[in-house]
Amino acid sequence: MVWRACTNCLPTMIQLRTKHVDVAIECPMCNESEESIVHCLVDCPAAQRCWNRVGIGTGVATVAGFSSWFEACFQQSNEDSRDMLAATCWALWGARNDKVWNQKNTDTMEVVSSAKSYLEQWKVAQVSGFETTLSGLTKDDGAEQWRLPPSNSVKINVDGAIFADTNEFGLGVVVRDDKGFLVEGKTRIFHGKVAAEVAEALSFREALSWIKQNPNWPQVIVETDCLLVVQSLRSSFRMISVFGDLINDCKLMLNDLSFISFSFVKRSANVVAHSFARASRSYPDRIFSLGDVPTELLSCLVTEFDA
């Protein structure tokens, strides 16, 4: 994407007009200037707010065009800032396309969060031991169907849910014993916009906090269908972001909870936790026992147990 921008191949409104495409040339983000490549990615007020947030390129002139601006910023930056430079350009272009094609407005924090999240996922994938999508997995990972935990153990399944229409996100945590019976289920709802992996990491941290409050539980297995969470927990790479802070919190708690193991499972093996997370909007901040679990959640418990 950056290469296309530097070689004047990025299809901004002005570039499209030069190809005889009948479009308005005003910037769709600010409607104040013509949408050239340098305006779209650097000079637009929406882009400027993002660059000010990440602290990159704010003092570099853009009169010579995007390529010169990018090269100057690249030469003045360290390795981490260079990565963020490219990731922010990618996120800005994505936000612009969301506006053009989906009429979706993306605020500064969302663009920056998207850039950081994308960059972190890329870096985790480069860490030795995570060369492929399935790397870093153990023999206990990748289950496609929920299984009973071993005798004298409990299994906790966790999941997060995003409710974009109300700017909310929720989580579900489900504890079951070695007979498959519900010990407790939990739902929580939060206000605000977060990336999906943040909601998933928060649900994992919620489960660990719950375990600390129940020291009498025997061996505990925690399952999540978010591969990124599991890979990040097993990686020594430290991420500086909201997602990274949640992962670091989880690592600290895991160090104190030696009787816990965790694994990645497919969505098909995490149906109950997914249902609880989706139900968090209807049942916010609730803890359920087997005797008072709602009918719609009880049905998925029974179905998964029978399977």
Side-chain angles (χ1 to χ4, degrees), residues 13 27-31 35 92-106:
M13 297 304 181
C27 170
M29 301 297 285
C30 68
N31 295 310
E35 192 197 35
L92 285 167
W93 183 244
R96 177 265 188 197
N97 287 336
D98 262 346
K99 176 67 173 180
V100 171
W101 300 110
N102 302 318
Q103 292 74 53
K104 177 186 175 184
N105 294 312
T106 308

PDB file of all heavy atoms in Angstrom, residues 13 27-31 35 92-106:
ATOM      1  N   MET A  13      -9.217  10.390  -5.050  1.00  0.00           N
ATOM      2  CA  MET A  13     -10.154  11.024  -5.987  1.00  0.00           C
ATOM      3  C   MET A  13      -9.429  11.712  -7.147  1.00  0.00           C
ATOM      4  O   MET A  13      -9.852  11.620  -8.303  1.00  0.00           O
ATOM      5  CB  MET A  13     -11.047  12.018  -5.242  1.00  0.00           C
ATOM      6  CG  MET A  13     -11.940  11.368  -4.188  1.00  0.00           C
ATOM      7  SD  MET A  13     -12.979  10.054  -4.878  1.00  0.00           S
ATOM      8  CE  MET A  13     -13.887   9.543  -3.411  1.00  0.00           C
ATOM      9  N   CYS A  27     -12.005  15.677  -0.723  1.00  0.00           N
ATOM     10  CA  CYS A  27     -11.662  14.635   0.254  1.00  0.00           C
ATOM     11  C   CYS A  27     -12.934  14.175   0.969  1.00  0.00           C
ATOM     12  O   CYS A  27     -13.657  14.998   1.539  1.00  0.00           O
ATOM     13  CB  CYS A  27     -10.657  15.183   1.269  1.00  0.00           C
ATOM     14  SG  CYS A  27     -10.375  14.080   2.690  1.00  0.00           S
ATOM     15  N   PRO A  28     -13.234  12.872   0.976  1.00  0.00           N
ATOM     16  CA  PRO A  28     -14.453  12.392   1.639  1.00  0.00           C
ATOM     17  C   PRO A  28     -14.383  12.480   3.159  1.00  0.00           C
ATOM     18  O   PRO A  28     -15.412  12.388   3.828  1.00  0.00           O
ATOM     19  CB  PRO A  28     -14.544  10.929   1.180  1.00  0.00           C
ATOM     20  CG  PRO A  28     -13.136  10.546   0.860  1.00  0.00           C
ATOM     21  CD  PRO A  28     -12.490  11.785   0.317  1.00  0.00           C
ATOM     22  N   MET A  29     -13.178  12.671   3.714  1.00  0.00           N
ATOM     23  CA  MET A  29     -13.031  12.720   5.166  1.00  0.00           C
ATOM     24  C   MET A  29     -13.293  14.119   5.718  1.00  0.00           C
ATOM     25  O   MET A  29     -13.877  14.280   6.791  1.00  0.00           O
ATOM     26  CB  MET A  29     -11.622  12.267   5.568  1.00  0.00           C
ATOM     27  CG  MET A  29     -11.276  10.857   5.108  1.00  0.00           C
ATOM     28  SD  MET A  29     -12.335   9.594   5.832  1.00  0.00           S
ATOM     29  CE  MET A  29     -11.664   9.529   7.498  1.00  0.00           C
ATOM     30  N   CYS A  30     -12.829  15.151   4.993  1.00  0.00           N
ATOM     31  CA  CYS A  30     -12.970  16.517   5.516  1.00  0.00           C
ATOM     32  C   CYS A  30     -13.807  17.428   4.632  1.00  0.00           C
ATOM     33  O   CYS A  30     -14.279  18.476   5.090  1.00  0.00           O
ATOM     34  CB  CYS A  30     -11.591  17.146   5.737  1.00  0.00           C
ATOM     35  SG  CYS A  30     -10.679  17.486   4.198  1.00  0.00           S
ATOM     36  N   ASN A  31     -13.964  17.054   3.362  1.00  0.00           N
ATOM     37  CA  ASN A  31     -14.728  17.869   2.398  1.00  0.00           C
ATOM     38  C   ASN A  31     -14.215  19.301   2.304  1.00  0.00           C
ATOM     39  O   ASN A  31     -14.968  20.224   1.994  1.00  0.00           O
ATOM     40  CB  ASN A  31     -16.216  17.889   2.771  1.00  0.00           C
ATOM     41  CG  ASN A  31     -16.876  16.536   2.665  1.00  0.00           C
ATOM     42  OD1 ASN A  31     -16.745  15.857   1.648  1.00  0.00           O
ATOM     43  ND2 ASN A  31     -17.555  16.120   3.721  1.00  0.00           N
ATOM     44  N   GLU A  35      -8.669  15.587  -2.804  1.00  0.00           N
ATOM     45  CA  GLU A  35      -8.072  14.390  -2.202  1.00  0.00           C
ATOM     46  C   GLU A  35      -6.907  13.878  -3.047  1.00  0.00           C
ATOM     47  O   GLU A  35      -7.043  12.991  -3.878  1.00  0.00           O
ATOM     48  CB  GLU A  35      -9.099  13.279  -2.015  1.00  0.00           C
ATOM     49  CG  GLU A  35      -8.536  12.162  -1.118  1.00  0.00           C
ATOM     50  CD  GLU A  35      -9.306  10.857  -1.208  1.00  0.00           C
ATOM     51  OE1 GLU A  35      -9.793  10.510  -2.304  1.00  0.00           O
ATOM     52  OE2 GLU A  35      -9.406  10.170  -0.176  1.00  0.00           O
ATOM     53  N   LEU A  92      -5.133   4.565   8.033  1.00  0.00           N
ATOM     54  CA  LEU A  92      -5.766   5.765   7.485  1.00  0.00           C
ATOM     55  C   LEU A  92      -6.464   5.456   6.164  1.00  0.00           C
ATOM     56  O   LEU A  92      -7.584   5.914   5.913  1.00  0.00           O
ATOM     57  CB  LEU A  92      -4.729   6.872   7.287  1.00  0.00           C
ATOM     58  CG  LEU A  92      -4.247   7.580   8.550  1.00  0.00           C
ATOM     59  CD1 LEU A  92      -3.009   8.420   8.246  1.00  0.00           C
ATOM     60  CD2 LEU A  92      -5.353   8.467   9.131  1.00  0.00           C
ATOM     61  N   TRP A  93      -5.808   4.689   5.325  1.00  0.00           N
ATOM     62  CA  TRP A  93      -6.400   4.326   4.044  1.00  0.00           C
ATOM     63  C   TRP A  93      -7.632   3.439   4.262  1.00  0.00           C
ATOM     64  O   TRP A  93      -8.649   3.575   3.580  1.00  0.00           O
ATOM     65  CB  TRP A  93      -5.374   3.631   3.166  1.00  0.00           C
ATOM     66  CG  TRP A  93      -5.871   3.289   1.787  1.00  0.00           C
ATOM     67  CD1 TRP A  93      -6.023   2.043   1.249  1.00  0.00           C
ATOM     68  CD2 TRP A  93      -6.288   4.211   0.766  1.00  0.00           C
ATOM     69  NE1 TRP A  93      -6.497   2.127  -0.031  1.00  0.00           N
ATOM     70  CE2 TRP A  93      -6.670   3.441  -0.359  1.00  0.00           C
ATOM     71  CE3 TRP A  93      -6.368   5.598   0.702  1.00  0.00           C
ATOM     72  CZ2 TRP A  93      -7.131   4.033  -1.536  1.00  0.00           C
ATOM     73  CZ3 TRP A  93      -6.829   6.182  -0.474  1.00  0.00           C
ATOM     74  CH2 TRP A  93      -7.203   5.404  -1.572  1.00  0.00           C
ATOM     75  N   GLY A  94      -7.566   2.550   5.237  1.00  0.00           N
ATOM     76  CA  GLY A  94      -8.717   1.714   5.554  1.00  0.00           C
ATOM     77  C   GLY A  94      -9.892   2.522   6.062  1.00  0.00           C
ATOM     78  O   GLY A  94     -11.049   2.275   5.691  1.00  0.00           O
ATOM     79  N   ALA A  95      -9.607   3.528   6.913  1.00  0.00           N
ATOM     80  CA  ALA A  95     -10.673   4.392   7.427  1.00  0.00           C
ATOM     81  C   ALA A  95     -11.292   5.205   6.296  1.00  0.00           C
ATOM     82  O   ALA A  95     -12.518   5.409   6.248  1.00  0.00           O
ATOM     83  CB  ALA A  95     -10.125   5.322   8.509  1.00  0.00           C
ATOM     84  N   ARG A  96     -10.450   5.666   5.391  1.00  0.00           N
ATOM     85  CA  ARG A  96     -10.952   6.428   4.238  1.00  0.00           C
ATOM     86  C   ARG A  96     -11.863   5.555   3.385  1.00  0.00           C
ATOM     87  O   ARG A  96     -12.939   5.970   2.945  1.00  0.00           O
ATOM     88  CB  ARG A  96      -9.756   6.945   3.435  1.00  0.00           C
ATOM     89  CG  ARG A  96     -10.135   7.698   2.159  1.00  0.00           C
ATOM     90  CD  ARG A  96     -10.113   6.801   0.941  1.00  0.00           C
ATOM     91  NE  ARG A  96     -10.297   7.561  -0.309  1.00  0.00           N
ATOM     92  CZ  ARG A  96     -10.632   7.009  -1.464  1.00  0.00           C
ATOM     93  NH1 ARG A  96     -10.847   5.702  -1.532  1.00  0.00           N
ATOM     94  NH2 ARG A  96     -10.763   7.757  -2.550  1.00  0.00           N
ATOM     95  N   ASN A  97     -11.477   4.303   3.139  1.00  0.00           N
ATOM     96  CA  ASN A  97     -12.300   3.400   2.332  1.00  0.00           C
ATOM     97  C   ASN A  97     -13.608   3.052   3.041  1.00  0.00           C
ATOM     98  O   ASN A  97     -14.646   2.885   2.391  1.00  0.00           O
ATOM     99  CB  ASN A  97     -11.523   2.128   2.001  1.00  0.00           C
ATOM    100  CG  ASN A  97     -10.446   2.375   0.960  1.00  0.00           C
ATOM    101  OD1 ASN A  97     -10.530   3.319   0.183  1.00  0.00           O
ATOM    102  ND2 ASN A  97      -9.426   1.537   0.958  1.00  0.00           N
ATOM    103  N   ASP A  98     -13.561   2.939   4.356  1.00  0.00           N
ATOM    104  CA  ASP A  98     -14.798   2.702   5.106  1.00  0.00           C
ATOM    105  C   ASP A  98     -15.778   3.859   4.922  1.00  0.00           C
ATOM    106  O   ASP A  98     -16.990   3.662   4.837  1.00  0.00           O
ATOM    107  CB  ASP A  98     -14.486   2.529   6.602  1.00  0.00           C
ATOM    108  CG  ASP A  98     -14.421   1.069   7.006  1.00  0.00           C
ATOM    109  OD1 ASP A  98     -14.868   0.217   6.222  1.00  0.00           O
ATOM    110  OD2 ASP A  98     -13.930   0.781   8.109  1.00  0.00           O
ATOM    111  N   LYS A  99     -15.236   5.068   4.867  1.00  0.00           N
ATOM    112  CA  LYS A  99     -16.077   6.248   4.666  1.00  0.00           C
ATOM    113  C   LYS A  99     -16.670   6.259   3.256  1.00  0.00           C
ATOM    114  O   LYS A  99     -17.860   6.547   3.060  1.00  0.00           O
ATOM    115  CB  LYS A  99     -15.254   7.515   4.905  1.00  0.00           C
ATOM    116  CG  LYS A  99     -15.987   8.819   4.638  1.00  0.00           C
ATOM    117  CD  LYS A  99     -17.116   9.058   5.628  1.00  0.00           C
ATOM    118  CE  LYS A  99     -17.727  10.435   5.441  1.00  0.00           C
ATOM    119  NZ  LYS A  99     -18.836  10.679   6.395  1.00  0.00           N
ATOM    120  N   VAL A 100     -15.841   5.937   2.260  1.00  0.00           N
ATOM    121  CA  VAL A 100     -16.280   5.993   0.864  1.00  0.00           C
ATOM    122  C   VAL A 100     -17.288   4.893   0.542  1.00  0.00           C
ATOM    123  O   VAL A 100     -18.326   5.137  -0.070  1.00  0.00           O
ATOM    124  CB  VAL A 100     -15.065   5.897  -0.081  1.00  0.00           C
ATOM    125  CG1 VAL A 100     -15.516   5.737  -1.529  1.00  0.00           C
ATOM    126  CG2 VAL A 100     -14.185   7.133   0.063  1.00  0.00           C
ATOM    127  N   TRP A 101     -16.981   3.679   0.980  1.00  0.00           N
ATOM    128  CA  TRP A 101     -17.784   2.539   0.553  1.00  0.00           C
ATOM    129  C   TRP A 101     -18.877   2.141   1.545  1.00  0.00           C
ATOM    130  O   TRP A 101     -19.886   1.560   1.143  1.00  0.00           O
ATOM    131  CB  TRP A 101     -16.872   1.338   0.291  1.00  0.00           C
ATOM    132  CG  TRP A 101     -15.857   1.612  -0.767  1.00  0.00           C
ATOM    133  CD1 TRP A 101     -14.508   1.758  -0.603  1.00  0.00           C
ATOM    134  CD2 TRP A 101     -16.103   1.800  -2.163  1.00  0.00           C
ATOM    135  NE1 TRP A 101     -13.895   2.032  -1.804  1.00  0.00           N
ATOM    136  CE2 TRP A 101     -14.852   2.059  -2.777  1.00  0.00           C
ATOM    137  CE3 TRP A 101     -17.245   1.777  -2.943  1.00  0.00           C
ATOM    138  CZ2 TRP A 101     -14.732   2.294  -4.145  1.00  0.00           C
ATOM    139  CZ3 TRP A 101     -17.116   2.000  -4.314  1.00  0.00           C
ATOM    140  CH2 TRP A 101     -15.880   2.256  -4.895  1.00  0.00           C
ATOM    141  N   ASN A 102     -18.673   2.414   2.833  1.00  0.00           N
ATOM    142  CA  ASN A 102     -19.637   1.974   3.842  1.00  0.00           C
ATOM    143  C   ASN A 102     -20.280   3.119   4.612  1.00  0.00           C
ATOM    144  O   ASN A 102     -21.062   2.879   5.544  1.00  0.00           O
ATOM    145  CB  ASN A 102     -18.960   1.028   4.840  1.00  0.00           C
ATOM    146  CG  ASN A 102     -18.347  -0.181   4.152  1.00  0.00           C
ATOM    147  OD1 ASN A 102     -18.946  -0.755   3.252  1.00  0.00           O
ATOM    148  ND2 ASN A 102     -17.140  -0.559   4.569  1.00  0.00           N
ATOM    149  N   GLN A 103     -19.900   4.382   4.257  1.00  0.00           N
ATOM    150  CA  GLN A 103     -20.419   5.556   4.959  1.00  0.00           C
ATOM    151  C   GLN A 103     -20.175   5.470   6.470  1.00  0.00           C
ATOM    152  O   GLN A 103     -20.974   5.921   7.283  1.00  0.00           O
ATOM    153  CB  GLN A 103     -21.916   5.769   4.685  1.00  0.00           C
ATOM    154  CG  GLN A 103     -22.243   6.163   3.260  1.00  0.00           C
ATOM    155  CD  GLN A 103     -22.121   4.995   2.291  1.00  0.00           C
ATOM    156  OE1 GLN A 103     -22.715   3.941   2.516  1.00  0.00           O
ATOM    157  NE2 GLN A 103     -21.368   5.168   1.224  1.00  0.00           N
ATOM    158  N   LYS A 104     -19.068   4.855   6.840  1.00  0.00           N
ATOM    159  CA  LYS A 104     -18.728   4.680   8.254  1.00  0.00           C
ATOM    160  C   LYS A 104     -17.694   5.716   8.663  1.00  0.00           C
ATOM    161  O   LYS A 104     -16.647   5.853   8.032  1.00  0.00           O
ATOM    162  CB  LYS A 104     -18.184   3.280   8.506  1.00  0.00           C
ATOM    163  CG  LYS A 104     -17.742   3.060   9.950  1.00  0.00           C
ATOM    164  CD  LYS A 104     -17.070   1.703  10.130  1.00  0.00           C
ATOM    165  CE  LYS A 104     -16.534   1.554  11.540  1.00  0.00           C
ATOM    166  NZ  LYS A 104     -15.774   0.281  11.726  1.00  0.00           N
ATOM    167  N   ASN A 105     -17.983   6.442   9.732  1.00  0.00           N
ATOM    168  CA  ASN A 105     -17.030   7.400  10.275  1.00  0.00           C
ATOM    169  C   ASN A 105     -16.155   6.709  11.323  1.00  0.00           C
ATOM    170  O   ASN A 105     -16.662   6.026  12.214  1.00  0.00           O
ATOM    171  CB  ASN A 105     -17.762   8.578  10.910  1.00  0.00           C
ATOM    172  CG  ASN A 105     -18.513   9.407   9.889  1.00  0.00           C
ATOM    173  OD1 ASN A 105     -17.963   9.758   8.855  1.00  0.00           O
ATOM    174  ND2 ASN A 105     -19.776   9.701  10.168  1.00  0.00           N
ATOM    175  N   THR A 106     -14.847   6.890  11.216  1.00  0.00           N
ATOM    176  CA  THR A 106     -13.901   6.274  12.136  1.00  0.00           C
ATOM    177  C   THR A 106     -13.145   7.374  12.866  1.00  0.00           C
ATOM    178  O   THR A 106     -12.539   8.239  12.225  1.00  0.00           O
ATOM    179  CB  THR A 106     -12.901   5.383  11.381  1.00  0.00           C
ATOM    180  OG1 THR A 106     -13.625   4.468  10.547  1.00  0.00           O
ATOM    181  CG2 THR A 106     -12.026   4.598  12.349  1.00  0.00           C
TER     182      THR A 106
END
